[in-house]
Amino acid sequence: MRNETIAIHGGYEEESTTKAVAVPIYQTVAYAFDSAAHGAALFNLEVEGYRYSRIANPTCDVLERRVAALEGGLGALSVSTGQAALHYAVLNLTESGRNIVSVPQLYGTTYTLFAHMLPGFGINVRFAESDQPAAIEKMVNVDTRAIFCESVGNPAGNICDIEALANVARKHGIPLIVDNTVATPILLRPIDYGADIIVHSLTKFMGGHGTTLGGAIVDSGKFPWAKYAQQFPMFSEPDASYHGLVYTDHFGPAAYIGRCRSVYQRVVGSVLSPLSAFQLLQGIETVAVRIARHVENAREVANFLRRDARVDWVNYAGFPDNQYHALAQKYLGGRACSLITFGIRGGFEGGTRFYDALKLVKRLVNLGDAKSLACHPASTTHRQMSTEEQRKAGVTPEMIRLSIGIEHVDDIIADLDQALETAAAG
Ligand SMILES: *Cc1c(COP(=O)(O)O)cnc(C)c1O
C-alpha cells in the first residue's frame, strides 16, 4: 500500500468481537490472565498478549503499527511526547562514557537534552560544526554509538543529506537516528536512504491539529546489533533486569525496539494514553492531504514574502537559489516543507512589531497545526542558548518562523501583508 492508504488503514483490521470500523479506545490499565501459567508466559514474552498498559495497549498498538508502516520500519513504540521519544531513542543504545555525534541544527529542547542533560548521565553529545557529512565524520570516535540529525531542521530549515550521513554511520558501525517530525513520512522516508532509527513528535504534522501530544520511535530492523555486540552489549548480552533475556535472540531484527519497550517503556513509563493514540490516529488519516495543502500554501507565501520590499530575507528550500534546494529535490521530491523562516527589515524591533500585529496567524510555539502559526525562536524556543549557540542552531535575533497552515492562502497572505504594513509604519 502507498502511504496515502496506510495513513487511513495501516495497523488495523476490524476487531473480531464488535467489528468496529473506527479504532476502539481501550481505556484499560490491565488485562486478565486465563491462569497463572498464562500470566507467566506473558511475562516471559512466550505468548502474544497484553499485561499492563505501561508496556502495551491495543489502541497504542494500532498507532505504532501505522507509524512503522508509514516510515517503512519493522516496528515502533509510541510514547507520551516527542521529547520522551528522543530520550528513549538515545538512551536505549548508549551507556555512560559513550557519546553520540549530532548536527548543530536542532529543535531547542532537543539541544537542551543533548547539551545539558545527557552529559549529566555520562553520555556526551559531540556537536559537529555543520550538517555536512565530512563535519559529522570528523566528530566520530571509538566511543561514538550513533549519529543524530533532524531530516529537516527545526527551525533552521536545513535538509540533511540522509544517504551520505547513513554511509558515514555504516562505515563506523553505528546507527543513524533521524528526527523526521518536520518532513513526515509523506514527504520523506529516511529508512529508504539508510537511516536506522526514526524519531517523531506526533504532536506536529502527524497529529496535525494542535490538540494532542505524542511521540514515536521507529526501528528499521536493519542495523546488525549482533555483529557489533562489543559496541552494543545491551542487545546481545543477557539482561539481568529481565531474567537474562538476550534481545537479539528473542526479538531478532527488532531487538532495538523490543528493548526500548521492555526496558525503557516498562521502567520509565512515558506512555501515550489510549485516548491520545486515538486522536493521533484520527489526525494521521488525513496527513497526506493536509501535507499537500501545507506545501502548496507555503510555496505561495514564500513567493509573496520574497517579492516584498519590507522583507529582508526568506529561507525556503523551494527557491532554486536556496542552499538546500538540491537536497529538497532529492529527498522531498521538490515539495519543500511548510516551515518558512524570514527576517523583516528593521531588525529585532521590526520583527517584534510584525509579530504583535498578526491577527489570523497565531503567536505561539508549535508547528504542524492546520492553523498558520508564527514563532519568534530567539525569544522563546531558543532563548536558553547563547547568541553563538543560536547562530549555530540557525537562529538569528530578527528571525520569524512560520508554520503555514491549510487555510485559504489568500487569507494567510492578507494577514502577513497587514502585519508587515504595521511593522513598516513603525
Ligand atoms: C516539537 C518537536 C519535538 C518535541 O516534540 P514534543 O511532542 O513537543 O515533545 C522534537 N523534535 C522536533 C523537530 C520538534 O519540532
Side-chain angles (χ1 to χ4, degrees):
M1 285 191 290
R2 291 162 183 82
N3 267 1
E4 289 79 354
T5 313
I6 294 170
I8 295 167
H9 298 282
Y12 183 65
E13 271 169 37
E14 287 80 48
E15 50 89 22
S16 53
T17 319
T18 65
K19 308 273 182 197
V21 171
V23 178
I25 302 166
Y26 287 90
Q27 192 72 41
T28 183
V29 170
Y31 308 83
F33 307 139
D34 297 337
S35 61
H38 179 223
L42 282 166
F43 270 79
N44 275 344
L45 308 177
E46 285 162 15
V47 294
E48 298 247 322
Y50 300 95
R51 293 175 273 165
Y52 192 72
S53 280
R54 178 158 24 78
I55 297 149
N57 170 281
T59 312
C60 296
D61 263 9
V62 176
L63 178 66
E64 288 161 1
R65 284 196 294 270
R66 190 166 298 178
V67 173
L70 285 168
E71 287 288 2
L74 187 62
L77 176 68
S78 63
V79 288
S80 57
T81 64
Q83 281 313 120
L86 284 153
H87 191 152
Y88 283 25
V90 173
L91 286 184
N92 196 39
L93 52 67
T94 47
E95 298 168 303
S96 176
R98 309 302 179 201
N99 68 67
I100 67 164
V101 170
S102 174
V103 298
Q105 300 97 336
L106 295 174
Y107 176 65
T109 318
T110 303
Y111 180 81
T112 307
L113 175 70
F114 284 4
H116 301 292
M117 280 199 64
L118 292 183
F121 295 114
I123 296 159
N124 276 315
V125 179
R126 292 160 61 88
F127 290 99
E129 263 307 304
S130 76
D131 58 5
Q132 297 304 301
I136 297 285
E137 183 157 25
K138 223 166 79 183
M139 299 308 288
V140 174
N141 68 17
V142 290
D143 288 322
T144 303
R145 291 296 177 265
I147 292 173
F148 181 89
C149 74
E150 294 179 6
S151 47
V152 176
N154 171 19
N158 63 304
I159 299 168
C160 284
D161 190 342
I162 305 287
E163 197 164 28
L165 293 182
N167 286 337
V168 172
R170 191 163 302 117
K171 184 171 149 193
H172 293 275
I174 52 177
L176 173 66
I177 307 176
V178 178
D179 181 334
N180 201 34
T181 299
V182 174
T184 79
I186 299 303
L187 295 181
L188 165 64
R189 302 207 317 176
I191 290 173
D192 293 346
Y193 295 96
D196 299 288
I197 295 150
I198 308 300
V199 180
H200 268 286
S201 168
L202 301 175
T203 314
K204 312 294 173 51
F205 290 104
M206 292 287 269
H209 297 79
T211 61
T212 310
L213 288 155
I217 304 140
V218 181
D219 185 351
S220 70
K222 292 190 179 140
F223 190 84
W225 305 105
K227 176 175 169 193
Y228 296 105
Q230 212 184 327
Q231 289 88 336
F232 300 100
M234 61 286 276
F235 299 113
S236 39
E237 282 179 13
D239 182 355
S241 83
Y242 212 110
H243 45 68
L245 193 74
V246 174
Y247 296 97
T248 46
D249 289 350
H250 186 84
F251 293 106
Y256 175 87
I257 205 72
R259 182 175 190 267
C260 211
R261 184 188 303 279
S262 309
V263 176
Y264 274 91
Q265 188 72 309
R266 180 170 62 92
V267 176
V268 179
S270 292
V271 294
L272 188 70
S273 82
L275 179 60
S276 291
F278 171 82
Q279 288 167 328
L280 292 167
L281 281 163
Q282 289 299 110
I284 288 173
E285 288 196 0
T286 58
V287 65
V289 283
R290 282 187 289 103
I291 292 288
R293 178 68 167 262
H294 280 293
V295 163
E296 198 181 298
N297 279 358
R299 179 170 291 132
E300 290 201 39
V301 170
N303 285 329
F304 160 78
L305 291 171
R306 185 162 159 128
R307 280 194 304 268
D308 199 296
R310 297 165 294 189
V311 172
D312 192 14
W313 58 267
V314 185
N315 179 22
Y316 171 66
F319 294 145
D321 58 355
N322 185 281
Q323 63 168 313
Y324 291 104
H325 186 258
L327 291 172
Q329 294 300 119
K330 171 169 177 175
Y331 290 108
L332 308 175
R335 299 165 298 171
C337 293
S338 54
L339 217 56
I340 299 173
T341 54
F342 74 101
I344 180 172
R345 292 196 196 283
F348 186 87
E349 295 287 301
T352 317
R353 278 199 301 274
F354 167 84
Y355 197 53
D356 287 344
L358 291 169
K359 289 180 180 148
L360 175 72
V361 179
K362 305 288 176 202
R363 279 178 293 277
L364 45 65
V365 290
N366 189 16
L367 63 88
D369 195 320
K371 306 166 192 72
S372 290
L373 316 171
C375 158
H376 183 222
S379 68
T380 55
T381 50
H382 289 66
R383 73 173 291 128
Q384 285 90 351
M385 293 184 183
S386 68
T387 313
E388 176 58 17
E389 285 175 323
Q390 285 186 359
R391 190 193 58 75
K392 280 195 189 163
V395 172
T396 53
E398 80 287 5
M399 177 172 128
I400 301 277
R401 187 197 70 195
L402 295 174
S403 173
I404 303 301
I406 59 176
E407 302 95 337
H408 196 292
V409 72
D410 291 353
D411 293 326
I412 302 170
I413 289 175
D415 192 42
L416 298 175
D417 187 38
Q418 67 79 26
L420 284 168
E421 201 49 44
T422 306

